């Protein structure tokens, strides 16, 4: 991976689309799928790996079509394009100099060159999106034809950025959000991209699958309306989504995260057990954790954070075959194992040379940050290891270990009557967010979609209906602990390079990526 410097865009994207499930197993929810000739009623897009840290899909907008690349984002819900009047901003991907520096054509849409564009601002209200990096984009709400791999969405609503208030010089990129309609930025909600796919007959269900593939692969794939059984191993375990503790709504893909183990040649170490919300967000490259869990992770691995919270290790640690195992909903089948190598990236000096410790060994950064909120965000470094199915109709996420670098494909379209379906999903914990910055704990909730009723998960074990799946709560804890001796004990030189050399006085950047990209409130930002 090559680094990007100066005004070079260090995009941190991710992909998503599709839907999956397989054969019956205990505590596993299975989709009733209908095999159709030529995988009818599915839509597949190639997710291009950009700089080993970003995934882009190609679309067209307007008539005649204007072609562009956009980030496919599970953490937001709006299609947001860049208008030509925003291209003077040096951090916007439609800026010719910036786009050329990463080998792309300027990525912007010019409504004056399309004869089918409609202005929806009078009915939807002003277009404004605030980004986590401090920038605010504003413009107009439009509708036009969107082309997706030979198929078209007619009258698809999108925001067009024309003005950027960007005090922190965050990089601005076009985005295709594929989240819940409830998370749209418009004052008046409109049919989302996924809803339009279903209503216009491109797919039968509001569901899609994500296969990011190996982080070093050239591309992954995104499949709307179906599953590809060749892209994962075993069966897909299903987990109920929970209410967003910030909005109090079922508007983002948050599920109960209950376990984090670390496996090395020294054995297994439990870094976290408990119950907190985890957002599966293809718009985030790294992993952000509530401070309590981040501290447990560092302590359990024998790492001492730098003054700015950065965790540094000897790059050799990434070659040992160590791995993290993430567990969800206290379900032994709902687990994803992620190589430690996904989480560490070399640190470079401003001249492009590697930073080294006192022994002259290269230093790597652990791509884990403290979250300024009470739930975790599991981004691309996590999602590349799994195959994920997002069922918006029934508020369920299904997962299995990914088959990486496979060239095989077995696509199955999902029938409209199937959803996620035949058995049950048991929420075996009381899902409670860790203390927020204010010191209060925010209970997470499961949305009972079948009865349009929101029910808190309490220790009294209510039974909740999610589409055709059932969620059951039987108590639990929001606290976790790191147990056992440090997994890095026999690798202390690797875990603590050069006795944890300070990065003070040395300017460095992480190879090919920004410290954090996160999607909040339908907005995307790259934080340098």
């Amino acid at each position: 991976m090559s680094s990007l410097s100066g005004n070079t865009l260090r995009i941190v994207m991710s992909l998503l689309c599709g839907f999956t499930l397989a054969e019956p197993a205990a505590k596993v929810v299975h989709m009733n799928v209908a095999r159709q000739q030529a995988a009818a009623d599915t839509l597949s897009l190639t997710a291009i790996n950009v700089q080993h840290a970003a995934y882009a899909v190609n679309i067209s907008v307007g008539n005649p079509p204007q072609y562009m690349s956009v980030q496919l984002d599970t953490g937001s819900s709006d299609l947001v394009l860049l208008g030509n009047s925003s291209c003077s901003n040096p951090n916007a991907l439609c800026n010719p100099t910036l786009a050329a520096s990463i080998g792309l054509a300027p990525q912007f849409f010019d409504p004056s060159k399309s004869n089918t564009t409609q202005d929806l601002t009078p009915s939807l209200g002003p277009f404004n999106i605030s980004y986590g990096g401090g920038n605010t984009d504003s413009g107009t709400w439009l509708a036009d034809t969107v082309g997706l791999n030979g198929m078209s969405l007619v009258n698809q609503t999108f925001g067009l950025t024309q003005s950027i208030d960007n005090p922190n010089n965050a990089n601005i990129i076009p985005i295709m959000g594929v989240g819940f309609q409830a998370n749209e930025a418009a004052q008046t909600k409109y049919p989302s991209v996924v809803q339009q796919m279903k209503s216009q007959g491109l797919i039968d269900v509001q569901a899609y699958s994500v296969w990011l593939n190996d982080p070093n692969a050239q591309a992954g794939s995104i499949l709307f309306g179906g599953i590809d059984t060749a892209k994962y191993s075993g069966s897909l375990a299903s987990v109920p989504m929970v209410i967003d503790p910030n909005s109090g709504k079922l508007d983002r893909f948050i599920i109960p995260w209950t376990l984090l183990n670390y496996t090395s040649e020294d054995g297994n170490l439990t870094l976290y057990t408990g119950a907190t919300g985890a957002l599966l967000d293809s718009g985030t490259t790294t992993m952000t954790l509530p401070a309590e869990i981040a501290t447990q992770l560092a302590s359990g691995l024998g790492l001492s954070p730098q003054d700015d919270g950065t965790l540094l290790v000897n790059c050799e640690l990434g070659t040992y075959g160590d791995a993290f195992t993430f567990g969800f909903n206290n379900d032994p089948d709902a687990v994803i194992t992620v190589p430690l190598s996904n989480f560490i990236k070399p640190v470079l000096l401003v001249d492009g040379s590697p930073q080294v410790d006192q022994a002259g060994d290269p230093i790597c950064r652990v791509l884990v940050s403290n979250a300024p909120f009470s739930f975790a965000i599991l981004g691309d470094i996590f999602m590349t290891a799994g195959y994920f199915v997002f069922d918006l109709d029934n508020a369920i996420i299904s997962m299995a270990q990914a088959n990486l670098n496979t060239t095989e494909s077995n696509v199955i379209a999902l029938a409209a009557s199937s959803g996620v379906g035949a058995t049950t999903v048991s929420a075996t914990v009381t899902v409670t967010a860790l203390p927020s910055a204010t010191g209060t704990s925010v209970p997470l909730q499961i949305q009972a979609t079948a009865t349009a009723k929101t029910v808190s998960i309490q220790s009294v074990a209510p039974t909740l209906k999610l589409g055709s799946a059932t969620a059951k709560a039987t108590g639990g804890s929001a606290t976790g602990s790191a147990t056992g001796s440090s997994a890095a004990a026999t690798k202390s030189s690797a875990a603590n390079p050069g006795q944890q050399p300070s990065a003070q006085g040395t300017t460095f950047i992480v190879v090919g990526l920004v410290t954090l990209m996160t999607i909040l409130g339908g907005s995307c930002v790259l934080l340098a």
Side-chain angles (χ1 to χ4, degrees):
M1 179 187 304
S2 61
S3 65
L4 303 174
S5 58
N7 280 332
T8 302
L9 178 65
R10 296 167 295 183
I11 309 177
V12 185
M13 300 180 183
S14 231
L15 55 93
L16 169 95
C17 299
F19 197 25
T20 32
L21 263 133
E23 309 186 42
K27 288 190 179 178
V28 178
V29 171
H30 299 279
M31 268 173 222
N32 301 315
V33 297
R35 187 183 299 273
Q36 302 182 19
Q37 292 294 327
D41 300 322
T42 65
L43 171 60
S44 180
L45 300 177
T46 297
I48 304 166
N49 188 339
V50 180
Q51 297 291 334
H52 302 282
Y55 294 89
V57 296
N58 294 324
I59 67 171
S60 66
V61 182
N63 183 22
Q66 300 175 42
Y67 298 93
M68 63 200 72
S69 298
V70 296
Q71 172 194 9
L72 194 77
D73 177 23
T74 63
S76 66
S77 303
D78 298 286
L79 175 60
V80 178
L81 306 181
L82 301 179
N84 52 9
S85 63
S86 67
C87 300
S88 60
N89 189 295
N91 296 100
L93 187 55
C94 60
N95 181 281
T97 301
L98 180 58
S101 70
I102 58 172
L104 294 176
Q107 307 295 300
F108 70 91
F109 175 71
D110 185 349
S112 69
K113 295 181 179 179
S114 173
N115 55 33
T116 50
T117 301
Q118 304 174 54
D119 185 359
L120 301 183
T121 304
S123 59
L124 296 183
F127 168 61
N128 290 289
I129 288 184
S130 295
Y131 289 68
N135 56 298
T136 299
D137 300 349
S138 58
T140 55
W141 289 107
L142 303 178
D144 212 327
T145 299
V146 174
L148 302 164
N149 193 20
M151 298 184 180
S152 296
L153 292 179
V154 180
N155 295 325
Q156 177 59 53
T157 300
F158 58 91
L160 187 68
T161 297
Q162 296 289 12
S163 175
I164 301 174
D165 179 14
N166 194 21
N168 297 329
N169 296 318
N171 291 312
I172 312 301
I173 59 179
I175 300 168
M176 179 182 283
V178 287
F180 286 117
Q181 182 187 49
N183 198 32
E184 291 174 348
Q187 295 176 1
T188 301
K189 305 307 178 187
Y190 60 87
S192 67
V193 168
V194 182
Q195 287 175 322
Q196 289 277 66
M197 287 183 182
K198 181 178 179 180
S199 65
Q200 296 186 25
L202 276 62
I203 58 178
D204 282 342
V205 294
Q206 289 191 75
Y208 47 82
S209 320
V210 181
W211 182 65
L212 293 184
N213 203 4
D214 189 310
N216 294 315
Q218 292 184 349
S221 64
I222 301 160
L223 181 65
F224 291 93
I227 64 173
D228 190 338
T229 63
K231 296 297 192 293
Y232 61 89
S233 59
S235 296
L236 286 153
S238 296
V239 177
M241 299 183 197
V242 297
I243 299 297
D244 185 333
N246 288 343
S247 67
K249 302 176 181 178
L250 183 70
D251 57 8
R252 288 195 279 186
F253 301 142
I254 300 175
I255 57 177
W257 177 31
T258 53
L259 176 70
L260 178 63
N261 279 346
Y262 182 74
T263 302
S264 70
E265 62 186 16
D266 303 317
N268 297 323
L269 175 67
T270 298
L271 299 176
Y272 168 72
T273 59
T276 194
L279 172 65
L280 301 193
D281 184 4
S282 68
T284 296
T285 301
T286 61
M287 181 169 73
T288 64
L289 304 178
E292 181 178 331
I293 301 178
T295 299
Q296 291 170 198
L297 184 148
S299 175
L301 298 180
L303 301 179
S304 300
Q306 301 295 303
D307 291 342
D308 63 355
T310 301
L311 298 176
L312 299 179
V313 298
N314 189 308
C315 293
E316 183 183 358
L317 190 63
T319 67
Y320 292 156
D322 296 4
F324 292 103
T325 297
F326 293 76
F328 301 91
N329 201 34
N330 276 350
D331 184 346
D333 297 309
V335 295
I336 299 293
T337 298
V338 186
L340 175 63
S341 57
N342 279 24
F343 288 81
I344 62 176
K345 296 296 179 183
V347 175
L348 299 183
L349 302 174
V350 290
D351 63 2
S353 62
Q355 185 177 358
V356 298
D357 61 19
Q358 294 173 356
D361 297 322
I363 294 175
C364 277
R365 178 175 185 168
V366 181
L367 302 180
V368 176
S369 304
N370 286 0
F373 28 76
S374 58
F375 58 90
I377 295 181
L378 306 182
D380 295 348
I381 59 174
F382 164 78
M383 292 184 66
T384 51
Y387 188 89
F388 298 95
V389 180
F390 296 80
D391 179 357
L392 282 70
D393 284 333
N394 297 298
I396 290 173
I397 294 178
S398 300
M399 65 186 71
Q401 201 70 30
N403 284 335
L404 302 179
N405 299 310
T406 182
T407 58
E408 300 297 319
S409 182
N410 182 40
V411 174
I412 299 175
L414 300 172
S417 60
S418 63
V420 175
T423 54
T424 62
V425 182
S426 298
T428 57
V429 295
T430 298
V431 186
T432 304
L434 291 173
S436 65
T438 61
T440 60
S441 293
V442 183
L444 297 179
Q445 302 170 309
I446 284 182
Q447 177 75 28
T449 57
T451 58
K453 177 181 174 184
T454 301
V455 185
S456 298
I457 302 180
Q458 305 294 345
S459 58
V460 294
T463 297
L464 310 176
K465 185 74 173 173
L466 290 103
S468 55
T470 302
K472 234 180 164 180
T474 58
S477 171
T479 62
S481 61
T483 59
S485 59
S486 169
T490 61
K491 304 173 186 172
S492 58
S493 61
N496 296 282
Q499 306 302 312
Q500 288 293 310
S502 172
Q504 292 179 348
T506 306
T507 303
F508 60 89
I509 57 174
V510 182
V511 180
L513 65 102
V514 207
T515 302
L516 168 67
M517 170 182 175
T518 185
I519 306 293
L520 290 173
S523 304
C524 163
V525 64
L526 302 177
L527 303 181

